[in-house]
Amino acid sequence: MITGREEFFNLVREGREGKNIGLSVGSKRLESFIDGYLPGTSYLIGAASGVGKSTYALWTFVYQPLIHFLDGECPERDPRWLLFSLEMTRSQVYAKLVSMYIMDKFGVELRYKEMFSRGKDCILSDDRYELLKKASEFMDILDERLTFYEGSLTEAVYLKEVEKELRKYGKFTEDGYIPNNPQQILGVLVDHFTLVKATSGRSKKEEIDAISRDSVMLRNKTKIMSPIHIAQFNRDSNNQERMKQGLQDPSSNDFKDSGALYEDSQVVLALFSPHKYKLSSYRKYDIKTLEQCFIGLFLLKSRFGTSDIMVPLGYYGDSSHYIELPKPDEIFDYEKYKSPFWALEDQQDNVKIEDDNITIQKSKFTL
């Protein structure tokens, strides 16, 4: 039996060897507080309905870590995911991830509506179809690394499917679990907990609490599993009296209908849309111009350091992008920040000079 002192110094040594570095989540400021995307860590994302929490979870805890892994960052992490997608189909999830990829790789916004030609005036053009074909190799990678469960979710189903997935990457023993690669990350995403089904004799809250408890048990036992939970805020979060008092920012109270999810999570993030609450300005940002393109990302809880910080994000639904915005006193043309192309213009490190011709590399990695 290992002693507490030995376990402590093992973690210290692993850190000195660079083994406690997480994969990028797409925001340098957020990474400075949560240390990136790491194995054995529980994440919770919350927001009111319609703010984009599912897309943000895919952007931050699937797409960004995957892209940076493909770029050669932290190769030992070998990230995989099990998705309990209770709201979106697999094709809808792929559409969001592919739109992120196409924007980064080719600098083109390709909407979900356009991808699937939803509407008489929205038939996918030949050139856009060619972009989708060029993204086929990326979709092959998604097929390899993402496992989907589509159906009703109860505690019994959760345990069965997660344990089945974990057996692919290690083995359970009487004393615990031996991973094939102790540095690997298996993200287990539940989107979202409002859609969990209660089994006979239980309330929905009791079912959620049981799944949350199981996720902590498996996280601690395997040390490679990272639960990624998505929760919808309770109805009081948009209470008009609360808005009048200037208390619109998300807080831990907004999760009170989500059972033990908040207490069991090590990192808790919340999204806030000032435009949704008809605010014309917010923390010196011009919301009247930015409208739905501004999202405030709140780090409400971090077991690993500082919390109660807000990261301003530009949200671009057509390409499913969340991009960290400059400080308000550094913005002189708000119209510029209503499109994700401002970020491409600022990526000076992606400019390559070849044969006296300047070419723009939209993404560092190649497939």
Short mmCIF file of all heavy atoms in Angstrom, two decimals, residues 44-54 191-195 208 229-239 242-243 247-259 261-262 268-273 276-277 282 295-300:
data_model
loop_
_atom_site.label_atom_id
_atom_site.label_comp_id
_atom_site.label_asym_id
_atom_site.label_seq_id
_atom_site.Cartn_x
_atom_site.Cartn_y
_atom_site.Cartn_z
N LEU A 44 -17.97 20.73 -15.38
CA LEU A 44 -19.40 21.01 -15.47
C LEU A 44 -19.59 22.32 -16.21
O LEU A 44 -18.95 23.32 -15.88
CB LEU A 44 -20.02 21.09 -14.08
CG LEU A 44 -21.49 21.52 -13.99
CD1 LEU A 44 -22.40 20.53 -14.70
CD2 LEU A 44 -21.92 21.66 -12.52
N ILE A 45 -20.47 22.31 -17.22
CA ILE A 45 -20.79 23.51 -17.99
C ILE A 45 -22.29 23.78 -17.84
O ILE A 45 -23.11 22.87 -18.06
CB ILE A 45 -20.47 23.34 -19.48
CG1 ILE A 45 -18.97 23.04 -19.67
CG2 ILE A 45 -20.82 24.59 -20.27
CD1 ILE A 45 -18.73 21.77 -20.40
N GLY A 46 -22.64 25.00 -17.47
CA GLY A 46 -24.04 25.35 -17.30
C GLY A 46 -24.38 26.63 -18.02
O GLY A 46 -23.53 27.49 -18.25
N ALA A 47 -25.65 26.78 -18.38
CA ALA A 47 -26.15 28.00 -19.02
C ALA A 47 -27.66 27.91 -19.11
O ALA A 47 -28.25 26.83 -18.94
CB ALA A 47 -25.55 28.19 -20.41
N ALA A 48 -28.27 29.04 -19.37
CA ALA A 48 -29.70 29.05 -19.64
C ALA A 48 -29.96 28.40 -20.99
O ALA A 48 -29.05 28.20 -21.80
CB ALA A 48 -30.23 30.48 -19.61
N SER A 49 -31.19 28.09 -21.27
CA SER A 49 -31.56 27.48 -22.54
C SER A 49 -31.24 28.42 -23.70
O SER A 49 -31.49 29.62 -23.63
CB SER A 49 -33.05 27.15 -22.54
OG SER A 49 -33.45 26.60 -23.78
N GLY A 50 -30.67 27.86 -24.77
CA GLY A 50 -30.43 28.64 -25.98
C GLY A 50 -29.18 29.48 -26.00
O GLY A 50 -28.97 30.25 -26.93
N VAL A 51 -28.30 29.34 -25.01
CA VAL A 51 -27.09 30.15 -24.95
C VAL A 51 -25.92 29.49 -25.70
O VAL A 51 -24.98 30.16 -26.10
CB VAL A 51 -26.71 30.47 -23.48
CG1 VAL A 51 -25.38 31.18 -23.37
CG2 VAL A 51 -27.80 31.32 -22.85
N GLY A 52 -25.97 28.19 -25.90
CA GLY A 52 -24.92 27.51 -26.67
C GLY A 52 -24.01 26.64 -25.84
O GLY A 52 -22.84 26.44 -26.20
N LYS A 53 -24.50 26.08 -24.75
CA LYS A 53 -23.64 25.28 -23.86
C LYS A 53 -23.16 23.99 -24.52
O LYS A 53 -22.02 23.58 -24.30
CB LYS A 53 -24.36 24.99 -22.55
CG LYS A 53 -25.73 24.37 -22.66
CD LYS A 53 -26.44 24.36 -21.32
CE LYS A 53 -27.86 23.83 -21.47
NZ LYS A 53 -28.70 24.76 -22.26
N SER A 54 -24.00 23.36 -25.34
CA SER A 54 -23.57 22.12 -26.02
C SER A 54 -22.45 22.40 -27.01
O SER A 54 -21.46 21.67 -27.07
CB SER A 54 -24.76 21.47 -26.74
OG SER A 54 -25.77 21.13 -25.83
N ASP A 191 -24.84 15.24 -22.38
CA ASP A 191 -25.48 16.45 -22.89
C ASP A 191 -26.98 16.19 -23.11
O ASP A 191 -27.37 15.57 -24.08
CB ASP A 191 -24.84 16.86 -24.21
CG ASP A 191 -25.44 18.12 -24.79
OD1 ASP A 191 -26.07 18.87 -24.02
OD2 ASP A 191 -25.28 18.34 -26.01
N HIS A 192 -27.84 16.75 -22.25
CA HIS A 192 -27.53 17.36 -20.98
C HIS A 192 -28.38 16.70 -19.91
O HIS A 192 -29.30 15.93 -20.20
CB HIS A 192 -27.75 18.89 -21.00
CG HIS A 192 -29.10 19.32 -21.47
ND1 HIS A 192 -30.22 19.28 -20.65
CD2 HIS A 192 -29.54 19.79 -22.66
CE1 HIS A 192 -31.25 19.72 -21.32
NE2 HIS A 192 -30.86 20.02 -22.55
N PHE A 193 -28.13 17.00 -18.64
CA PHE A 193 -28.70 16.24 -17.53
C PHE A 193 -30.19 16.43 -17.34
O PHE A 193 -30.85 15.61 -16.70
CB PHE A 193 -27.94 16.55 -16.25
CG PHE A 193 -26.77 15.62 -16.03
CD1 PHE A 193 -25.54 15.91 -16.58
CD2 PHE A 193 -26.93 14.45 -15.31
CE1 PHE A 193 -24.47 15.04 -16.41
CE2 PHE A 193 -25.87 13.58 -15.13
CZ PHE A 193 -24.64 13.87 -15.67
N THR A 194 -30.74 17.50 -17.89
CA THR A 194 -32.20 17.68 -17.81
C THR A 194 -32.93 16.55 -18.51
O THR A 194 -34.08 16.24 -18.18
CB THR A 194 -32.60 19.03 -18.45
OG1 THR A 194 -31.85 20.07 -17.82
CG2 THR A 194 -34.08 19.32 -18.27
N LEU A 195 -32.27 15.89 -19.47
CA LEU A 195 -32.90 14.83 -20.26
C LEU A 195 -32.66 13.44 -19.70
O LEU A 195 -33.07 12.44 -20.31
CB LEU A 195 -32.38 14.91 -21.71
CG LEU A 195 -32.64 16.26 -22.40
CD1 LEU A 195 -31.99 16.28 -23.79
CD2 LEU A 195 -34.13 16.54 -22.50
N ILE A 208 -29.96 11.80 -11.28
CA ILE A 208 -28.81 12.65 -11.60
C ILE A 208 -27.73 12.51 -10.53
O ILE A 208 -26.54 12.39 -10.84
CB ILE A 208 -29.27 14.11 -11.75
CG1 ILE A 208 -30.12 14.27 -13.01
CG2 ILE A 208 -28.06 15.05 -11.80
CD1 ILE A 208 -30.77 15.64 -13.15
N HIS A 229 -19.87 17.27 -17.90
CA HIS A 229 -21.31 17.31 -17.69
C HIS A 229 -21.89 18.65 -18.11
O HIS A 229 -21.30 19.70 -17.83
CB HIS A 229 -21.63 17.05 -16.22
CG HIS A 229 -21.27 15.66 -15.76
ND1 HIS A 229 -21.08 15.32 -14.44
CD2 HIS A 229 -21.05 14.52 -16.47
CE1 HIS A 229 -20.78 14.04 -14.35
NE2 HIS A 229 -20.75 13.54 -15.57
N ILE A 230 -23.03 18.61 -18.77
CA ILE A 230 -23.71 19.82 -19.22
C ILE A 230 -25.06 19.89 -18.50
O ILE A 230 -25.82 18.91 -18.48
CB ILE A 230 -23.92 19.81 -20.74
CG1 ILE A 230 -22.58 19.68 -21.46
CG2 ILE A 230 -24.64 21.08 -21.19
CD1 ILE A 230 -22.69 19.56 -22.97
N ALA A 231 -25.32 21.04 -17.90
CA ALA A 231 -26.57 21.23 -17.16
C ALA A 231 -27.25 22.52 -17.57
O ALA A 231 -26.58 23.51 -17.88
CB ALA A 231 -26.29 21.24 -15.65
N GLN A 232 -28.55 22.49 -17.57
CA GLN A 232 -29.33 23.70 -17.87
C GLN A 232 -29.67 24.41 -16.57
O GLN A 232 -30.04 23.76 -15.59
CB GLN A 232 -30.61 23.32 -18.63
CG GLN A 232 -31.37 24.50 -19.17
CD GLN A 232 -32.33 24.07 -20.26
OE1 GLN A 232 -31.92 23.56 -21.31
NE2 GLN A 232 -33.61 24.26 -20.03
N PHE A 233 -29.52 25.73 -16.56
CA PHE A 233 -29.83 26.49 -15.36
C PHE A 233 -31.31 26.33 -14.97
O PHE A 233 -32.17 26.13 -15.84
CB PHE A 233 -29.54 27.97 -15.57
CG PHE A 233 -28.07 28.32 -15.51
CD1 PHE A 233 -27.64 29.57 -15.92
CD2 PHE A 233 -27.12 27.42 -15.04
CE1 PHE A 233 -26.30 29.92 -15.86
CE2 PHE A 233 -25.79 27.76 -14.98
CZ PHE A 233 -25.37 29.01 -15.39
N ASN A 234 -31.57 26.46 -13.68
CA ASN A 234 -32.94 26.43 -13.23
C ASN A 234 -33.67 27.71 -13.65
O ASN A 234 -33.04 28.70 -14.04
CB ASN A 234 -33.01 26.21 -11.71
CG ASN A 234 -32.37 27.36 -10.95
OD1 ASN A 234 -32.89 28.47 -10.92
ND2 ASN A 234 -31.23 27.10 -10.33
N ARG A 235 -34.96 27.71 -13.55
CA ARG A 235 -35.78 28.80 -14.09
C ARG A 235 -35.55 30.13 -13.38
O ARG A 235 -35.79 31.19 -13.95
CB ARG A 235 -37.26 28.42 -14.01
CG ARG A 235 -37.60 27.27 -14.96
CD ARG A 235 -39.07 26.92 -14.88
NE ARG A 235 -39.39 25.81 -15.78
CZ ARG A 235 -40.61 25.28 -15.90
NH1 ARG A 235 -41.61 25.76 -15.17
NH2 ARG A 235 -40.82 24.29 -16.72
N ASP A 236 -35.09 30.09 -12.13
CA ASP A 236 -34.87 31.34 -11.39
C ASP A 236 -33.70 32.15 -11.94
O ASP A 236 -33.51 33.30 -11.58
CB ASP A 236 -34.62 31.04 -9.91
CG ASP A 236 -35.88 30.58 -9.20
OD1 ASP A 236 -36.97 30.83 -9.75
OD2 ASP A 236 -35.78 29.98 -8.12
N SER A 237 -32.89 31.52 -12.82
CA SER A 237 -31.69 32.21 -13.32
C SER A 237 -32.04 33.45 -14.14
O SER A 237 -31.22 34.35 -14.27
CB SER A 237 -30.84 31.25 -14.16
OG SER A 237 -31.52 30.86 -15.33
N ASN A 238 -33.23 33.49 -14.72
CA ASN A 238 -33.63 34.68 -15.50
C ASN A 238 -34.78 35.42 -14.83
O ASN A 238 -35.57 36.10 -15.50
CB ASN A 238 -33.98 34.31 -16.94
CG ASN A 238 -35.12 33.32 -17.01
OD1 ASN A 238 -35.64 32.89 -15.99
ND2 ASN A 238 -35.51 32.96 -18.23
N ASN A 239 -34.88 35.28 -13.51
CA ASN A 239 -35.90 35.99 -12.74
C ASN A 239 -35.77 37.50 -12.94
O ASN A 239 -34.69 38.05 -12.81
CB ASN A 239 -35.74 35.63 -11.26
CG ASN A 239 -36.78 36.29 -10.39
OD1 ASN A 239 -36.64 37.46 -10.05
ND2 ASN A 239 -37.80 35.53 -10.02
N ARG A 242 -34.35 39.59 -10.13
CA ARG A 242 -32.89 39.42 -10.06
C ARG A 242 -32.20 40.30 -11.09
O ARG A 242 -31.18 40.91 -10.81
CB ARG A 242 -32.56 37.94 -10.30
CG ARG A 242 -31.09 37.62 -10.35
CD ARG A 242 -30.88 36.13 -10.53
NE ARG A 242 -29.52 35.82 -10.90
CZ ARG A 242 -29.08 34.60 -11.15
NH1 ARG A 242 -29.89 33.57 -11.05
NH2 ARG A 242 -27.82 34.40 -11.49
N MET A 243 -32.77 40.39 -12.28
CA MET A 243 -32.19 41.23 -13.32
C MET A 243 -32.22 42.71 -12.90
O MET A 243 -31.27 43.45 -13.11
CB MET A 243 -32.97 41.06 -14.63
CG MET A 243 -32.92 39.68 -15.25
SD MET A 243 -31.26 39.15 -15.71
CE MET A 243 -31.02 37.79 -14.56
N LEU A 247 -28.16 41.42 -10.70
CA LEU A 247 -27.56 40.15 -10.28
C LEU A 247 -27.67 39.12 -11.39
O LEU A 247 -27.97 37.96 -11.16
CB LEU A 247 -28.28 39.64 -9.01
CG LEU A 247 -28.24 40.59 -7.81
CD1 LEU A 247 -29.08 40.03 -6.67
CD2 LEU A 247 -26.80 40.82 -7.35
N GLN A 248 -27.42 39.56 -12.63
CA GLN A 248 -27.62 38.68 -13.77
C GLN A 248 -26.50 37.68 -13.97
O GLN A 248 -26.67 36.67 -14.66
CB GLN A 248 -27.81 39.50 -15.05
CG GLN A 248 -26.58 40.26 -15.50
CD GLN A 248 -26.52 41.65 -14.92
OE1 GLN A 248 -27.25 41.98 -13.99
NE2 GLN A 248 -25.65 42.49 -15.46
N ASP A 249 -25.31 37.92 -13.39
CA ASP A 249 -24.19 37.01 -13.60
C ASP A 249 -24.50 35.63 -13.04
O ASP A 249 -25.16 35.50 -12.00
CB ASP A 249 -22.93 37.54 -12.92
CG ASP A 249 -22.35 38.76 -13.63
OD1 ASP A 249 -22.87 39.10 -14.71
OD2 ASP A 249 -21.40 39.36 -13.10
N PRO A 250 -24.04 34.56 -13.70
CA PRO A 250 -24.29 33.20 -13.21
C PRO A 250 -23.66 32.99 -11.82
O PRO A 250 -22.66 33.60 -11.48
CB PRO A 250 -23.60 32.32 -14.25
CG PRO A 250 -23.45 33.17 -15.46
CD PRO A 250 -23.28 34.57 -14.97
N SER A 251 -24.27 32.09 -11.06
CA SER A 251 -23.73 31.75 -9.74
C SER A 251 -24.01 30.28 -9.46
O SER A 251 -24.73 29.60 -10.22
CB SER A 251 -24.38 32.61 -8.65
OG SER A 251 -25.72 32.22 -8.44
N SER A 252 -23.47 29.78 -8.36
CA SER A 252 -23.68 28.38 -8.00
C SER A 252 -25.16 28.07 -7.78
O SER A 252 -25.61 26.94 -7.99
CB SER A 252 -22.88 28.04 -6.73
OG SER A 252 -23.28 28.87 -5.66
N ASN A 253 -25.95 29.08 -7.38
CA ASN A 253 -27.38 28.87 -7.14
C ASN A 253 -28.13 28.47 -8.40
O ASN A 253 -29.19 27.85 -8.33
CB ASN A 253 -28.02 30.13 -6.55
CG ASN A 253 -27.55 30.42 -5.15
OD1 ASN A 253 -27.20 29.50 -4.40
ND2 ASN A 253 -27.50 31.69 -4.76
N ASP A 254 -27.59 28.82 -9.56
CA ASP A 254 -28.25 28.47 -10.82
C ASP A 254 -28.23 26.97 -11.09
O ASP A 254 -28.94 26.48 -11.97
CB ASP A 254 -27.60 29.21 -11.99
CG ASP A 254 -27.81 30.71 -11.90
OD1 ASP A 254 -28.89 31.13 -11.48
OD2 ASP A 254 -26.87 31.47 -12.23
N PHE A 255 -27.40 26.23 -10.35
CA PHE A 255 -27.30 24.79 -10.52
C PHE A 255 -28.11 24.02 -9.48
O PHE A 255 -27.99 22.80 -9.40
CB PHE A 255 -25.83 24.34 -10.42
CG PHE A 255 -24.97 24.79 -11.55
CD1 PHE A 255 -24.28 25.98 -11.48
CD2 PHE A 255 -24.82 24.01 -12.70
CE1 PHE A 255 -23.45 26.41 -12.52
CE2 PHE A 255 -24.00 24.42 -13.74
CZ PHE A 255 -23.32 25.62 -13.66
N LYS A 256 -28.92 24.71 -8.67
CA LYS A 256 -29.52 24.05 -7.52
C LYS A 256 -30.47 22.91 -7.91
O LYS A 256 -30.69 21.99 -7.12
CB LYS A 256 -30.24 25.07 -6.64
CG LYS A 256 -31.52 25.65 -7.23
CD LYS A 256 -32.15 26.62 -6.24
CE LYS A 256 -33.47 27.17 -6.78
NZ LYS A 256 -34.09 28.12 -5.85
N ASP A 257 -31.04 22.96 -9.11
CA ASP A 257 -31.93 21.89 -9.55
C ASP A 257 -31.17 20.73 -10.20
O ASP A 257 -31.78 19.77 -10.67
CB ASP A 257 -32.95 22.42 -10.55
CG ASP A 257 -33.96 23.34 -9.89
OD1 ASP A 257 -34.06 23.31 -8.65
OD2 ASP A 257 -34.64 24.10 -10.61
N SER A 258 -29.84 20.81 -10.22
CA SER A 258 -29.03 19.79 -10.89
C SER A 258 -28.40 18.80 -9.92
O SER A 258 -27.41 18.16 -10.23
CB SER A 258 -27.93 20.47 -11.72
OG SER A 258 -28.51 21.33 -12.67
N GLY A 259 -28.97 18.70 -8.73
CA GLY A 259 -28.50 17.71 -7.78
C GLY A 259 -27.08 17.96 -7.33
O GLY A 259 -26.68 19.09 -7.04
N LEU A 261 -24.34 17.66 -9.01
CA LEU A 261 -23.38 17.92 -10.09
C LEU A 261 -22.37 19.01 -9.72
O LEU A 261 -21.17 18.86 -9.98
CB LEU A 261 -24.12 18.33 -11.37
CG LEU A 261 -24.92 17.25 -12.08
CD1 LEU A 261 -25.68 17.85 -13.25
CD2 LEU A 261 -24.01 16.13 -12.55
N TYR A 262 -22.84 20.09 -9.14
CA TYR A 262 -21.94 21.19 -8.80
C TYR A 262 -20.92 20.75 -7.75
O TYR A 262 -19.72 20.99 -7.91
CB TYR A 262 -22.75 22.39 -8.29
CG TYR A 262 -21.92 23.65 -8.12
CD1 TYR A 262 -21.83 24.58 -9.14
CD2 TYR A 262 -21.22 23.89 -6.93
CE1 TYR A 262 -21.07 25.74 -9.00
CE2 TYR A 262 -20.46 25.05 -6.78
CZ TYR A 262 -20.39 25.96 -7.82
OH TYR A 262 -19.61 27.09 -7.67
N VAL A 268 -16.07 24.23 -12.70
CA VAL A 268 -17.44 24.59 -13.09
C VAL A 268 -17.39 25.86 -13.92
O VAL A 268 -16.87 26.89 -13.49
CB VAL A 268 -18.35 24.81 -11.87
CG1 VAL A 268 -19.75 25.21 -12.33
CG2 VAL A 268 -18.41 23.54 -11.01
N LEU A 269 -17.94 25.77 -15.14
CA LEU A 269 -18.00 26.89 -16.07
C LEU A 269 -19.44 27.25 -16.37
O LEU A 269 -20.31 26.37 -16.42
CB LEU A 269 -17.29 26.54 -17.38
CG LEU A 269 -15.81 26.15 -17.27
CD1 LEU A 269 -15.32 25.53 -18.59
CD2 LEU A 269 -14.96 27.36 -16.92
N ALA A 270 -19.71 28.54 -16.54
CA ALA A 270 -21.06 28.99 -16.87
C ALA A 270 -21.00 30.01 -17.98
O ALA A 270 -20.09 30.85 -18.02
CB ALA A 270 -21.74 29.58 -15.63
N LEU A 271 -21.97 29.95 -18.89
CA LEU A 271 -22.05 30.88 -20.01
C LEU A 271 -23.18 31.87 -19.76
O LEU A 271 -24.26 31.50 -19.28
CB LEU A 271 -22.32 30.13 -21.32
CG LEU A 271 -21.33 29.05 -21.72
CD1 LEU A 271 -21.79 28.38 -23.00
CD2 LEU A 271 -19.94 29.61 -21.89
N PHE A 272 -22.93 33.13 -20.12
CA PHE A 272 -23.95 34.17 -19.95
C PHE A 272 -24.02 35.03 -21.20
O PHE A 272 -23.00 35.49 -21.72
CB PHE A 272 -23.62 35.06 -18.74
CG PHE A 272 -24.55 36.22 -18.58
CD1 PHE A 272 -25.87 36.01 -18.22
CD2 PHE A 272 -24.12 37.52 -18.79
CE1 PHE A 272 -26.76 37.08 -18.07
CE2 PHE A 272 -24.98 38.60 -18.65
CZ PHE A 272 -26.31 38.37 -18.29
N SER A 273 -25.25 35.24 -21.70
CA SER A 273 -25.48 36.07 -22.89
C SER A 273 -26.20 37.35 -22.48
O SER A 273 -27.41 37.33 -22.23
CB SER A 273 -26.31 35.31 -23.92
OG SER A 273 -26.72 36.17 -24.96
N LYS A 276 -29.31 38.23 -24.54
CA LYS A 276 -30.53 37.47 -24.23
C LYS A 276 -31.38 38.19 -23.20
O LYS A 276 -32.59 38.05 -23.17
CB LYS A 276 -30.15 36.07 -23.74
CG LYS A 276 -31.30 35.09 -23.65
CD LYS A 276 -30.80 33.73 -23.26
CE LYS A 276 -31.94 32.70 -23.18
NZ LYS A 276 -32.56 32.45 -24.47
N TYR A 277 -30.71 39.00 -22.36
CA TYR A 277 -31.42 39.74 -21.31
C TYR A 277 -31.57 41.22 -21.66
O TYR A 277 -31.78 42.06 -20.79
CB TYR A 277 -30.71 39.55 -19.98
CG TYR A 277 -30.72 38.11 -19.53
CD1 TYR A 277 -29.60 37.30 -19.71
CD2 TYR A 277 -31.87 37.55 -18.99
CE1 TYR A 277 -29.63 35.97 -19.35
CE2 TYR A 277 -31.91 36.22 -18.62
CZ TYR A 277 -30.78 35.43 -18.80
OH TYR A 277 -30.82 34.10 -18.43
N TYR A 282 -22.31 45.67 -21.28
CA TYR A 282 -22.00 44.72 -20.20
C TYR A 282 -20.49 44.74 -19.97
O TYR A 282 -19.72 44.45 -20.88
CB TYR A 282 -22.47 43.31 -20.59
CG TYR A 282 -22.17 42.26 -19.55
CD1 TYR A 282 -22.91 42.20 -18.37
CD2 TYR A 282 -21.16 41.33 -19.76
CE1 TYR A 282 -22.64 41.24 -17.41
CE2 TYR A 282 -20.89 40.36 -18.82
CZ TYR A 282 -21.64 40.32 -17.64
OH TYR A 282 -21.36 39.36 -16.69
N ILE A 295 -20.39 36.44 -25.46
CA ILE A 295 -20.71 35.49 -24.38
C ILE A 295 -19.71 35.70 -23.26
O ILE A 295 -18.49 35.77 -23.49
CB ILE A 295 -20.63 34.03 -24.87
CG1 ILE A 295 -21.72 33.74 -25.89
CG2 ILE A 295 -20.72 33.06 -23.68
CD1 ILE A 295 -23.14 33.69 -25.33
N GLY A 296 -20.22 35.81 -22.05
CA GLY A 296 -19.35 35.86 -20.88
C GLY A 296 -19.16 34.46 -20.33
O GLY A 296 -20.13 33.78 -20.00
N LEU A 297 -17.91 34.01 -20.28
CA LEU A 297 -17.59 32.69 -19.73
C LEU A 297 -17.12 32.87 -18.29
O LEU A 297 -16.11 33.53 -18.04
CB LEU A 297 -16.51 32.01 -20.57
CG LEU A 297 -15.93 30.72 -19.97
CD1 LEU A 297 -16.99 29.62 -19.94
CD2 LEU A 297 -14.71 30.26 -20.75
N PHE A 298 -17.83 32.28 -17.36
CA PHE A 298 -17.50 32.41 -15.94
C PHE A 298 -16.90 31.12 -15.41
O PHE A 298 -17.45 30.03 -15.62
CB PHE A 298 -18.76 32.74 -15.13
CG PHE A 298 -19.23 34.15 -15.31
CD1 PHE A 298 -19.95 34.52 -16.43
CD2 PHE A 298 -18.94 35.13 -14.36
CE1 PHE A 298 -20.39 35.82 -16.61
CE2 PHE A 298 -19.36 36.44 -14.53
CZ PHE A 298 -20.09 36.78 -15.65
N LEU A 299 -15.75 31.26 -14.75
CA LEU A 299 -15.18 30.14 -14.00
C LEU A 299 -15.69 30.28 -12.58
O LEU A 299 -15.19 31.07 -11.79
CB LEU A 299 -13.65 30.20 -14.05
CG LEU A 299 -12.90 29.15 -13.21
CD1 LEU A 299 -13.28 27.73 -13.62
CD2 LEU A 299 -11.39 29.34 -13.34
N LEU A 300 -16.73 29.51 -12.26
CA LEU A 300 -17.38 29.63 -10.96
C LEU A 300 -16.66 28.85 -9.88
O LEU A 300 -16.75 29.18 -8.69
CB LEU A 300 -18.83 29.15 -11.04
CG LEU A 300 -19.77 29.94 -11.95
CD1 LEU A 300 -21.18 29.36 -11.86
CD2 LEU A 300 -19.79 31.42 -11.57
#
